[in-house]
């Protein structure tokens, strides 16, 4: 297994200081727990939540990019799916980040077709297809399905853009007990595969339970409603009678899959998100 170590603070960077970490300490802890002594890339932004992307404090953005400069590593800007009401603000924020921190941002990960087309046309950096493009089955409660050795394939929607060379990488989750990357790497050897570990996202959506808690009843559970980054201060854990554990982080539910086996001999980018460090703190 040839893995390139990377760390993702997308969706979680704002939670570092409320839990007693600097961003540098959080990244170091994440990589240590993953058994790696170094990091070669930092992911910043958000996969799952447009409100987080728009409301992450400027201080946190600056701290993340300053860390990249200090470590001498590039940054991947992770862009979520924006609703129509937030699209203009989202595009403006992406412009400011790509052009303002172009010395470290050399790659963008997108999660919908519209933003893929926008970024390919507008920016000169590499573009990756993010986690939300993948529709692979995922649910540890279905044991027989989960314990299969799963062969990873390119989503049909993206096959043509990969062939045209518009997308340089694809990011996936540890959806099963074992992942086989060989057919994917053999079909398109120029594609950089990134696997997010050790948590797999199970489901996500436009409603945030945490952001609704303090609102009046008639204002609760509104899609893509503005928030105060409640996810930076609170997370919810579940343990089912079967022993399966789950984590609600903002509007997303994830499950840990620390023991996922990834096919040996295939080079991939191991993207570590520090959920364990944040939840334990």
């Amino acid at each position: 297994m040839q893995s390139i170590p990377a760390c993702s603070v997308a969706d979680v960077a704002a939670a570092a200081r409320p839990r007693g970490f600097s961003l540098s300490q959080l990244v170091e802890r994440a990589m240590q727990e993953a058994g790696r002594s170094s990091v070669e890339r930092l992911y910043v932004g958000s996969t799952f939540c447009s409100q987080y992307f728009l409301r992450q404090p400027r201080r946190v953005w600056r701290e993340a990019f300053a860390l990249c400069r200090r470590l001498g590593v590039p940054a991947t800007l992770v862009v979520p799916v924006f609703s129509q009401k937030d699209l203009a603000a989202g595009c403006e924020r992406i412009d400011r980040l790509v052009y303002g921190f172009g010395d470290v941002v050399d790659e963008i990960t997108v999660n919908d077709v519209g933003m893929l087309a926008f970024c390919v046309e507008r920016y000169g950096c590499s573009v990756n297809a993010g986690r939300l493009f993948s529709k692979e089955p995922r649910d540890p409660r279905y044991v027989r399905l989960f314990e299969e050795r799963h062969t990873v394939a390119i989503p049909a929607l993206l096959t043509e853009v990969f062939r045209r060379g518009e997308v340089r990488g694809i990011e996936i989750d540890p959806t099963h007990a074992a992942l086989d990357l060989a057919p994917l790497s053999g079909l398109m050897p120029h594609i950089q595969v990134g696997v997010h570990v050790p948590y797999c996202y199970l489901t996500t959506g436009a409603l945030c339970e945490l952001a609704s808690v303090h609102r009046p009843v008639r204002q609760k559970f509104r899609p893509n409603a503005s928030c105060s980054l409640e996810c930076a201060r609170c997370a919810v854990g579940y343990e089912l009678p079967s022993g399966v554990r789950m984590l609600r982080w903002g509007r997303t539910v994830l499950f840990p899959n620390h023991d996922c086996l990834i096919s040996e001999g295939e080079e991939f980018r191991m993207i570590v998100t520090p959920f364990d460090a944040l939840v334990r703190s």
Side-chain angles (χ1 to χ4, degrees):
M1 180 171 63
Q2 305 171 49
S3 60
I4 303 167
C7 184
S8 175
V9 293
D11 294 290
V12 304
R17 290 202 179 275
R19 288 168 168 80
F21 295 101
S22 68
L23 208 54
S24 176
Q25 291 169 334
L26 184 61
V27 169
E28 183 178 4
R29 174 76 65 85
M31 301 316 293
Q32 286 176 347
E33 292 184 351
R36 305 306 294 263
S37 59
S38 64
V39 62
E40 296 186 17
R41 177 173 292 274
L42 191 66
Y43 282 68
V44 296
S46 174
T47 296
F48 303 112
C49 184
S50 58
Q51 301 309 307
Y52 180 93
F53 188 90
L54 293 172
R55 287 168 173 74
Q56 179 172 267
R58 291 182 181 180
R59 167 189 59 78
V60 178
W61 288 109
R62 289 195 297 266
E63 185 181 6
F65 294 128
L67 178 60
C68 288
R69 294 187 186 106
R70 183 165 65 80
L71 296 177
V73 302
T76 298
L77 179 63
V78 186
V79 178
V81 179
F82 294 101
S83 65
Q84 192 64 39
K85 76 178 180 66
D86 292 321
L87 183 58
C91 291
E92 180 183 349
R93 175 62 56 87
I94 297 166
D95 263 1
R96 290 211 306 266
L97 293 169
V98 172
Y99 295 133
F101 300 95
D103 60 317
V104 288
V105 176
D106 71 344
E107 190 176 84
I108 303 174
T109 290
V110 299
N111 285 282
D112 69 284
V113 173
M115 193 55 70
L116 188 154
F118 174 79
C119 291
V120 166
E121 181 179 341
R122 188 170 182 84
Y123 307 114
C125 52
S126 298
V127 177
N128 301 325
R131 305 162 78 175
L132 299 189
F133 276 106
S134 175
K135 306 304 179 185
E136 307 283 354
R138 61 191 72 211
D139 197 329
R141 295 171 295 182
Y142 294 90
V143 176
R144 199 168 95 178
L145 172 69
F146 176 72
E147 291 184 347
E148 291 178 352
R149 183 179 180 84
H150 182 68
T151 300
V152 179
I154 291 179
L157 182 66
L158 295 177
T159 301
E160 186 57 31
V161 295
F162 274 111
R163 286 191 179 129
R164 294 200 302 260
E166 294 176 353
V167 174
R168 305 292 179 82
I170 185 171
E171 296 172 17
I172 60 176
D173 279 77
T175 54
H176 294 69
L179 298 180
D180 185 1
L181 306 181
L184 176 60
S185 300
L187 179 65
M188 295 188 176
H190 62 287
I191 294 299
Q192 172 72 64
V193 180
V195 184
H196 286 265
V197 296
Y199 280 70
C200 174
Y201 98 85
L202 178 62
T203 185
T204 190
L207 303 179
C208 184
E209 180 181 353
L210 298 179
S212 293
V213 168
H214 65 283
R215 293 178 180 269
V217 172
R218 293 182 181 276
Q219 297 177 24
K220 290 182 182 292
F221 310 117
R222 297 293 186 262
N224 297 303
S226 60
C227 69
S228 301
L229 292 188
E230 285 81 1
C231 60
R233 302 184 297 277
C234 179
V236 180
Y238 306 88
E239 183 166 358
L240 305 184
S242 62
V244 171
R245 293 188 299 120
M246 293 186 181
L247 172 68
R248 177 183 291 277
W249 191 275
R251 56 170 73 170
T252 302
V253 176
L254 309 102
F255 65 87
N257 190 6
H258 295 76
D259 298 325
C260 179
L261 299 176
I262 301 171
S263 55
E264 295 187 7
E266 302 301 327
E267 182 177 277
F268 68 97
R269 190 181 289 174
M270 181 181 71
I271 308 167
V272 182
T273 302
F275 283 121
D276 283 334
L278 291 168
V279 170
R280 284 199 301 265
S281 62

